[in-house]
Amino acid sequence: MRGFREIADRVYVLRYPVLDVNVTLVTAAGAALVVDTLSTAEQAGELADAIRVITRDPLIIVNTHHHFDHCFGNATLAAPEAPIWAHEEAARELREHGETLQRHWYEQWLPRDPGLAAGLAEVTVRVPDRLVRTSATVDLAGRTVSLHHLGRGHTAGDLVVDVPDAGVVLAGDLVEQGAPPSYGDDAYPLEWPGTVAALLRLVGPDGVVVPGHGAPVDRAFVQAQHEQLGELDRLIREGHADGAGPPEVAARSPFGAEASLVAVRRGYAELSGRA
């Protein structure tokens, strides 16, 4: 596994090769904060080793949302007394539906990656215990890290992490690099553009944005993706009004038909009051 790379003052990013998911480490004198914890106990153990190369200070953990590749390493990585921050909706999903989701993801991945599926089945799901509704501030030994829920998009509980003294914003899966945004049955494609517009207001002209997957990007990249999200939003609304079928609308998406069909169906459900 590749180790962490410093992208700004005491802000380090590790791109884990399985699913190309990002973990970000923010350090200060005597404290450290890690954003997202990977998918399995084995992966989180590797992550712990990589963190110890940088720091042995106690960890504060933040989960950007409830999907397995961002939080199923919680129980392995977090000390028993360590705080784990997340949006209240992400914590609710894990608390009320954790076992069901774990079984669903196991079945989903078993034909594609049996090793990953086996790891998912063995995980102890640890639910975050420090909940954010709209915003919160973490004092990292005098270094301020801000947590923001800017709206729904990839999920109902997306959390954005801002490290203002470094000019770095951690977007979770609200921003994707190297692949289209991931629309699932718990996404909100008609609200996603507005949420990313709010995220852009946190990013300075020379700021760095760490997506949930892929390489760190600049403000221009996020702006371009925001425009594509808005274009798909428009296509969904127009298609729904015109009675067009979801495959027809998805075929015109800037993200491609295959990546967008679920988004169109989900958007139609939103417009029909079924989401």
Side-chain angles (χ1 to χ4, degrees), residues 26 33 35 62 64 85 132 134-140 143-150 159-165 168-171 202:
V26 184
L33 179 145
V35 180
V62 178
T64 57
W85 291 83
V132 180
T134 56
S135 63
T137 299
V138 178
D139 181 1
L140 190 64
R143 188 175 198 188
T144 297
V145 177
S146 300
L147 313 179
H148 302 281
H149 174 65
L150 303 173
L159 203 62
V160 173
V161 182
D162 183 20
V163 190
D165 68 358
V168 176
V169 174
L170 316 178
L202 298 175

Side-chain angles (χ1 to χ4, degrees), residues 203-214:
V203 183
D206 300 319
V208 176
V209 177
V210 180
H213 303 260

Side-chain angles (χ1 to χ4, degrees), residues 168-184:
V168 176
V169 174
L170 316 178
D173 285 3
L174 287 168
V175 176
E176 295 277 7
Q177 188 277 332
S182 178
Y183 292 97

Side-chain angles (χ1 to χ4, degrees), residues 24-48:
T24 302
L25 177 68
V26 184
T27 65
L33 179 145
V34 63
V35 180
D36 291 337
T37 62
L38 299 177
S39 303
T40 67
E42 181 180 0
Q43 291 181 12
E46 295 177 29
L47 175 58

Side-chain angles (χ1 to χ4, degrees), residues 26-272:
V26 184
T27 65
L33 179 145
V34 63
V35 180
D36 291 337
T37 62
L38 299 177
S39 303
T40 67
E42 181 180 0
Q43 291 181 12
E46 295 177 29
L47 175 58
D49 291 341
I51 289 171
R52 281 192 287 269
V53 172
I54 306 295
T55 180
R56 292 183 176 270
D57 289 330
L59 293 177
I60 298 168
I61 290 175
V62 178
N63 296 150
T64 57
H65 57 293
H66 73 278
H67 290 167
F68 71 88
D69 49 331
H70 298 266
C71 67
F72 269 22
N74 284 357
T76 300
L77 195 63
E81 70 282 0
I84 303 178
W85 291 83
H87 184 258
E88 59 187 16
E89 183 63 20
R92 186 192 67 79
E93 285 285 350
L94 292 171
R95 183 174 58 253
E96 297 182 6
H97 307 296
E99 291 185 3
T100 300
L101 290 168
Q102 187 174 13
R103 184 167 56 252
H104 165 74
W105 286 320
Y106 166 79
E107 293 170 353
Q108 180 186 57
W109 282 95
L110 184 60
R112 301 158 63 183
D113 188 334
L116 175 60
L120 295 176
E122 295 168 358
V123 160
T124 298
V125 176
R126 180 166 168 186
V127 179
D129 54 9
R130 301 290 179 90
L131 306 186
V132 180
R133 175 165 293 179
T134 56
S135 63
T137 299
V138 178
D139 181 1
L140 190 64
R143 188 175 198 188
T144 297
V145 177
S146 300
L147 313 179
H148 302 281
H149 174 65
L150 303 173
R152 301 189 296 190
H154 179 65
T155 70
D158 296 311
L159 203 62
V160 173
V161 182
D162 183 20
V163 190
D165 68 358
V168 176
V169 174
L170 316 178
D173 285 3
L174 287 168
V175 176
E176 295 277 7
Q177 188 277 332
S182 178
Y183 292 97
D185 290 335
D186 53 358
Y188 292 83
L190 305 185
E191 298 180 39
W192 200 327
T195 301
V196 174
L199 184 153
L200 277 164
R201 290 193 283 272
L202 298 175
V203 183
D206 300 319
V208 176
V209 177
V210 180
H213 303 260
V217 298
D218 59 13
R219 194 181 196 283
F221 178 96
V222 181
Q223 181 64 54
Q225 192 159 101
H226 172 256
E227 292 170 3
Q228 292 176 309
L229 291 163
E231 173 67 6
L232 181 54
D233 176 3
R234 181 186 66 79
L235 290 170
I236 291 170
R237 294 179 188 276
E238 291 181 355
H240 185 266
D242 294 341
E248 178 185 348
V249 176
R252 301 198 297 271
S253 168
F255 301 120
E258 183 178 357
S260 303
L261 185 56
V262 171
V264 178
R265 289 174 174 159
R266 178 72 176 168
Y268 277 23
E270 286 185 81
L271 291 168
S272 301

